[in-house]
Amino acid sequence: MQRGSDRLSVHKDDEMKHELQGLIRSGHPTRAEEWHDPEPAADDDPEVTLGPVPARGTTGEAEAVRFEFARRLGRTSFPADREGLLSVLEDRHAPDGLIALAEELPTDRTFHTVQEVVSALGLRPST
């Protein structure tokens, strides 16, 4: 039954289903014209599979780690010890790299800010 609010006719709808059938079944574009396909990644594109946490020793690491901790923890997580921070990070599905950094925190300290967390990891802001 037609409601009258459809933007396409029944024939056009069937035609579009037929056009997409190959894409849905194969999982990749099926058009003959190359310009329809998305452009592949270049060799010099940054790695996005590693996640937002930078590798140790990279430029701006302290700022990036502080940003990621602040984004995941928020203000309500403090004050907290290492176990409390790990619990919050796991509850908020933080990246594995960030959790691994938090596991390096000393167990005998209570942290009041994200900056204290980053300093306890031995990271210094770049100048």
Side-chain angles (χ1 to χ4, degrees):
M1 175 174 188
Q2 294 288 330
R3 293 184 299 169
S5 63
D6 294 337
R7 295 178 65 201
L8 305 173
S9 69
V10 176
H11 302 292
K12 184 67 175 171
D13 192 33
D14 287 340
E15 181 183 330
M16 289 176 69
K17 284 181 189 175
H18 179 70
E19 286 177 6
L20 289 175
Q21 197 170 29
L23 174 63
I24 292 169
R25 286 186 178 170
S26 67
H28 59 82
T30 56
R31 292 196 167 107
E33 293 90 12
E34 210 174 84
W35 60 272
H36 282 291
D37 297 339
E39 187 173 322
D43 293 336
D44 59 347
D45 282 349
E47 287 291 328
V48 294
T49 58
L50 300 176
V53 182
R56 284 245 183 219
T58 58
T59 306
E61 177 190 14
E63 291 84 0
V65 169
R66 184 177 58 231
F67 173 77
E68 285 302 317
F69 272 120
R71 192 173 100 178
R72 303 292 177 171
L73 295 172
R75 293 181 184 174
T76 58
S77 302
F78 295 99
D81 60 355
R82 185 187 114 175
E83 296 307 316
L85 294 176
L86 283 170
S87 175
V88 172
L89 289 172
E90 289 171 0
D91 289 346
R92 296 184 181 172
H93 307 289
D96 292 339
L98 202 60
I99 292 174
L101 283 173
E103 288 173 344
E104 296 178 16
L105 291 169
T107 57
D108 59 344
R109 282 188 60 188
T110 300
F111 303 98
H112 299 283
T113 64
V114 173
Q115 185 59 44
E116 287 180 15
V117 171
V118 174
S119 295
L121 291 171
L123 302 174
R124 303 282 177 248
S126 59
T127 55

